[in-house]
Amino acid sequence: MAGVSLKCGDCGALLRSVQEAQEHAELTSHSNFSESTEAVLNLVCATCGKPCRSKTETDLHTKRTGHTDFVDKTSEAAKPISLEVPKATADSGEAIDVDMSGSQPEEMVEPEVDKELLKELEAMGFPVARATRALYYSGNASVEAAVNWVVEHENDPDIDEMPMVPVSGGGGGGEASKSSLTPEEIKLKAQELRERARKKKEEEEKRMEREREKERIRIGKELLEAKRIEEENERKRILALRKAEKEEEKRAREKIRQKLEEDKAERRRRLGLPPEDPATTKSSAPVVEEKKSMLPIRPATKVEQMRECLRSLKQNHKDDDAKVKRAFQTLLTYIGNVAKNPNEEKFRKIRLSNQTFQDRVGALKGGLEFLELCGFEKIEGGEFLFLPREKVDMAVLNSAGSELTSAINNPFFGVL
């Protein structure tokens, strides 16, 4: 029986003519062909008439269109194959013999394709090599033709390799004569590819947004850490300052004590009395210390004035620690509200006749003085305490808050 097709010995593909064998060889670099009595399938869709050459093509067509009925016309289309090389191809020097034994190497280059069509295919999500191959082998006819070619060859192993053609070769289009998709299939395929490209773009935008959000979170953490370090350093500086002040106060008291002891010893010497017994001197030291502590000390700074005011308040009411602590906490609340909401007038205005205020602060000596040190002024005939917005000094308020916190938490505050 005469051969009705050419079979590729490398991949098993069945081809209808020598021209198809040449095109297959260009695409795959396969060179082992032989005659075969096995006919190329010709399954025609009973609904739209599209011919399919394999079971894979019929499955794909059914998936795209929903058509399931096919008529097998393989026997009608089968005819003896001619092994003659087309004259035009032979004259051009590009003929490929059936056994590929006479092929001559030529310089290969990338084919020229329509740039606008190439951009449109790339926008639909096709790789450059696949889009170039599709345009070249579909004859640069249209985007639909290129999509048709991709659908029919999407399982080719070299589908994503850049095609190479001889320098003397034409502009492609060898596949344009093959079976094509119906307009409905082309429209559905183009819509699917555009949807795929849109989803890919959305996913990329979401990924970039996640990256930007991570960067914002990282910067936020760095800023918070920098602020924490700054606050910690400020706290350490204040603690060091307070420690230095206490040391200075201790040294001053010690100098006063020594001076008193020297004066006392001098008086005893002048009166002819014997030196005082050290044990007696030691036991009386607290009395000297207490007398010394009653010496008036004029604060040099506003912070020291605040501290002295709070110390005086506690000493004036030392018999009622609960009342003193409640007064300190109330003052801290007033100061904290102003510091957090400096623009709110209701936090900067206090009615002096308010019974709660009087019970907690107003009736205690030193409470009003402390608020005045913070900037509050009496207005409307002494009916209100008011802190003008332009006189709100955050540094003074912070210092006042620190002094109140120290007075509340230090069990020895005001004892000395």
Side-chain angles (χ1 to χ4, degrees), residues 110-236:
E110 295 181 7
E112 292 289 336
V113 296
D114 189 295
K115 302 299 182 183
E116 295 299 325
L117 296 180
L118 180 62
K119 289 181 180 179
E120 188 170 349
L121 286 174
E122 289 181 20
M124 293 170 68
F126 289 108
V128 177
R130 182 179 297 196
T132 302
R133 183 178 289 272
L135 286 172
Y136 175 71
Y137 287 110
S138 64
N140 286 303
S142 64
V143 172
E144 288 74 11
V147 171
N148 174 24
W149 189 94
V150 170
V151 172
E152 293 183 356
H153 297 82
E154 60 184 354
N155 294 324
D156 290 355
D158 58 349
I159 186 68
D160 287 322
E161 295 180 7
M162 182 64 71
M164 304 299 289
V165 298
V167 175
S168 58
E175 298 289 338
S177 61
K178 290 188 178 182
S179 59
S180 60
L181 295 174
T182 63
E184 292 79 7
E185 290 179 303
I186 293 174
K187 184 177 181 180
L188 289 174
K189 181 64 178 177
Q191 183 178 356
E192 179 184 344
L193 292 174
R194 290 191 183 95
E195 182 67 17
R196 189 187 306 168
R198 184 186 64 80
K199 289 182 178 179
K200 183 177 180 181
K201 184 177 180 181
E202 289 179 354
E203 291 175 358
E204 181 64 18
E205 290 177 352
K206 289 181 180 179
R207 186 186 67 80
M208 293 300 295
E209 180 60 27
R210 288 195 296 269
E211 292 296 328
R212 288 191 291 267
E213 182 64 21
K214 289 180 181 179
E215 183 65 14
R216 285 195 293 268
I217 292 174
R218 184 187 65 80
I219 294 175
K221 288 182 178 179
E222 290 181 355
L223 292 176
L224 289 175
E225 181 64 15
K227 183 178 180 181
R228 186 192 66 78
I229 294 175
E230 182 180 357
E231 292 176 350
E232 180 68 15
N233 291 336
E234 178 65 14
R235 187 183 67 83
K236 291 180 179 179

Side-chain angles (χ1 to χ4, degrees), residues 63 118 186 255 258 352 359:
K63 181 179 179 181
L118 180 62
I186 293 174
K255 288 182 180 180
Q258 290 179 359
L352 294 177
D359 292 341

Side-chain angles (χ1 to χ4, degrees), residues 34 96 124 151 184 212 243 283 291 338 366 377:
S34 61
I96 302 178
M124 293 170 68
V151 172
E184 292 79 7
R212 288 191 291 267
K243 184 177 180 181
S283 62
K291 288 182 180 180
V338 176
E377 304 172 353

Side-chain angles (χ1 to χ4, degrees), residues 14 16 39-45 49-55 57-58 70-78 179:
L14 295 176
R16 287 197 183 103
V40 179
L41 287 178
N42 184 25
L43 304 175
V44 181
C45 178
K50 173 178 169 47
C52 299
R53 299 178 56 173
S54 66
K55 185 65 169 57
E57 289 189 18
T58 60
F70 295 87
V71 179
D72 189 349
K73 296 184 178 182
T74 303
S75 59
E76 297 177 9
S179 59

